[in-house]
Amino acid sequence: MESEKTNVVRVGSRKSELALIQTNYVIDSLKKVYPDKEFTIVSMTTLGDRILNVSLPKIGEKSLFTKDLEDALRNDSVDFVVHSLKDLPTTLPEGLAIGAVFEREDPRDALVLREELNTHTLSTLPAGSVIGTSSLRRTAQLRGSYPQLSVIDVRGNLNTRLKKLDAPSKEYSALLLANAGLQRMGWGNRVSKILPCSEIMYAVGQGALAVECRSDNEDILKMLAPFNHAETYCRVLAERSFLKTLGGGCSAPVGVSTKLKHEDPQYKFTIDGAVWSMDGTTKIHETLQLVLPQIKKTQKHKLSPTEETDCKKLKKEENGAPKGLDAVLELNRRITERESNLNCEDTRSMEEIASLKCPIFCGLSENSNIPIDVIEKCENLGKELANNLISIGALDVMKVTQDYIRSAAAQKS
């Protein structure tokens, strides 16, 4: 490969400002560990970026924001791609895998109000106030909890949506957006309120950055391994397993909330999942808990923020590098030596490990920082939650939603 010969790593990214900020964050992190590497960005416009006059579910395509980037991976135009994890389907194209998920930012949604309404909340906005969102998940929850408000589709990147909110026409009273994206853009001052999960549950994988690569590219997988954040991995794996088993996605209002709490010497893992009808009046919901042993193979670790705590912004030193990289460098050394990071025993034989080139869990490559039994328990927890919801009618609710979308699309055409 030419990029290997020249020591250049080609990084795929969407062209939006937020996507490039996220991509540069990943590159800056990698540069501190691999200073001999040269990283170059290959940016492109995806289908989801090109079609802005149709709501996302009505477009009828999967992988709206990822397919073009994944095509570049598969034809060897780029070495890895940076995504918002919530954009990635739970089943990836053959030959591709998520090599790392970086430490998660605050996954909750944020309410962004017009300036003259900034003292309000969702419950105090005047009846008929228009809330803009492109998400069925947000739409259903708003309609169920705040039937006095009007919910209208709004498309475009963050810059475009905020311009629509601030427009003199005053078409929108507020927007619901991912808090993590606003914080990464440096627009935290626009957040009127961060919405707790008791009010709005978030999307699967929201707030996490994923790095996708070819599953047979061992050099890239090894490069990414130190950044595959253990706590984040456990949470998003359970979430993606839940969604994959449920069979939902952009075509159904599905929300989650996960918490991973350290209760020495163990961890209590809680996952909430729900499915709504389009009008929000029907909600199928359940909560499961799991007790996990030490979840890292090394002894020291740092918990991700839960959705009910203050979010951790992208912390940087004066030179722009993320804090704690000394720890990452040390972890990288241990992974290279392999035998020194096995404080928690992996029960598989060497033959079994050798036979698994790149084990995949809902699109996520195996995290070398976590014992395999913990990974399997997290995946099974998501499956169990989904199956419990299915047993009490979730699929019936989802079918009604999908029929509604197909009908609305047919009428529009």
Side-chain angles (χ1 to χ4, degrees):
M1 184 192 300
E2 182 65 24
S3 62
E4 290 178 343
K5 293 178 183 178
T6 60
N7 218 29
V8 172
V9 179
R10 303 157 301 170
V11 185
S13 173
R14 291 168 64 189
K15 286 186 176 181
S16 73
E17 185 178 355
L18 176 58
L20 291 171
I21 286 173
Q22 293 176 163
T23 298
N24 278 302
Y25 171 73
V26 169
I27 289 173
D28 288 344
S29 300
L30 290 168
K31 279 180 177 178
K32 291 297 294 184
V33 180
Y34 309 103
D36 59 320
K37 299 288 186 182
E38 179 183 343
F39 296 87
T40 181
I41 296 176
V42 180
S43 61
M44 59 194 76
T45 303
T46 66
L47 179 63
D49 297 313
R50 295 191 293 271
I51 303 177
L52 296 176
N53 60 343
V54 182
S55 65
L56 295 176
K58 293 178 183 177
I59 295 175
E61 286 280 340
K62 295 181 179 180
S63 309
L64 290 173
F65 297 104
T66 61
K67 184 178 184 301
D68 299 88
L69 293 162
E70 289 174 333
D71 287 346
L73 269 177
R74 298 176 80 179
N75 66 30
D76 199 22
S77 298
V78 298
D79 299 303
F80 69 76
V81 172
V82 179
H83 300 280
S84 293
L85 181 57
K86 67 182 178 64
D87 292 335
L88 279 172
T90 53
T91 299
L92 300 184
E94 185 177 356
L96 301 184
I98 298 169
V101 284
F102 277 59
E103 185 170 3
R104 191 179 208 167
E105 298 298 309
D106 185 346
R108 293 173 294 175
D109 284 334
L111 175 67
V112 181
L113 292 157
R114 287 185 61 85
E115 185 176 358
E116 65 269 25
L117 298 170
N118 205 35
T119 58
H120 284 272
T121 63
L122 286 170
S123 60
T124 65
L125 281 169
S129 294
V130 175
I131 313 298
T133 177
S134 61
S135 162
L136 289 181
R137 169 186 58 83
R138 294 171 181 142
T139 297
Q141 292 182 79
L142 284 170
R143 287 175 176 169
S145 300
Y146 306 99
Q148 76 279 13
L149 303 178
S150 176
V151 186
I152 295 181
D153 188 72
V154 60
R155 291 291 313 283
N157 57 36
L158 281 178
N159 313 57
T160 301
R161 296 187 196 193
L162 289 173
K163 285 180 181 177
K164 290 180 179 180
L165 176 65
D166 298 333
S169 62
K170 298 185 179 182
E171 179 182 1
Y172 299 96
S173 300
L175 302 175
L176 282 194
L177 301 166
N179 183 48
L182 289 165
Q183 300 295 339
R184 288 172 183 146
M185 290 286 285
W187 294 340
N189 62 311
R190 293 302 306 265
V191 175
S192 305
K193 181 185 178 184
I194 297 175
L195 300 173
C197 290
S198 58
E199 194 168 0
I200 300 287
M201 294 176 74
Y202 50 79
V204 165
Q206 186 161 301
L209 298 182
V211 183
E212 187 180 19
C213 63
R214 290 180 294 280
S215 58
D216 63 354
N217 193 333
E218 295 183 10
D219 289 339
I220 294 295
L221 287 168
K222 183 178 178 181
M223 177 189 297
L224 296 173
F227 300 90
N228 208 2
H229 190 256
E231 288 83 0
T232 299
Y233 184 99
C234 290
R235 292 174 64 189
V236 301
L237 173 56
E239 293 172 19
R240 287 172 65 82
S241 178
F242 164 67
L243 185 61
K244 182 176 182 178
T245 306
L246 201 56
C250 192
S251 61
V254 176
V256 294
S257 169
T258 52
K259 300 177 185 177
L260 190 57
K261 185 177 181 182
H262 187 200
E263 296 182 346
D264 193 35
Q266 298 174 318
Y267 293 81
K268 185 170 75 173
F269 188 4
T270 305
I271 181 170
D272 294 273
V275 175
W276 291 264
S277 60
M278 274 303 298
D279 62 6
T281 58
T282 301
K283 178 182 179 181
I284 309 294
H285 171 254
E286 184 156 336
T287 302
L288 290 180
Q289 289 188 342
L290 172 69
V291 175
L292 292 170
Q294 174 78 10
I295 66 171
K296 282 190 176 181
K297 291 179 180 176
T298 51
Q299 292 300 315
K300 293 185 178 180
H301 51 82
K302 179 180 179 182
L303 287 174
S304 291
T306 69
E307 75 284 347
E308 300 300 336
T309 62
D310 292 335
C311 75
K312 177 192 68 57
K313 297 182 181 180
L314 296 179
K315 295 180 180 178
K316 296 188 176 183
E317 302 282 9
E318 291 182 2
N319 63 2
K323 291 182 178 179
L325 269 172
D326 288 343
V328 174
L329 286 164
E330 172 63 14
L331 179 56
N332 187 44
R333 181 186 67 77
R334 292 185 181 187
I335 289 172
T336 302
E337 294 176 357
R338 292 187 182 275
E339 71 275 6
S340 63
N341 69 340
L342 295 176
N343 293 335
C344 287
E345 184 179 357
D346 193 327
T347 58
R348 294 172 298 175
S349 68
M350 293 305 294
E351 291 76 13
E352 288 174 317
I353 294 173
S355 69
L356 298 174
K357 278 286 186 179
C358 182
I360 305 297
F361 302 86
C362 297
L364 300 168
S365 61
E366 181 180 349
N367 191 325
S368 59
N369 309 318
I370 306 174
I372 188 64
D373 65 307
V374 172
I375 293 175
E376 291 172 345
K377 286 178 181 177
C378 292
E379 183 179 36
N380 290 335
L381 183 66
K383 289 180 182 177
E384 182 182 354
L385 179 64
N387 286 325
N388 287 354
L389 292 190
I390 290 170
S391 71
I392 54 178
L395 294 186
D396 293 334
V397 173
M398 292 170 64
K399 183 179 184 302
V400 171
T401 299
Q402 291 159 357
D403 290 344
Y404 169 85
I405 292 169
R406 281 192 290 268
S407 175
Q411 290 176 5
K412 185 164 185 175
S413 61

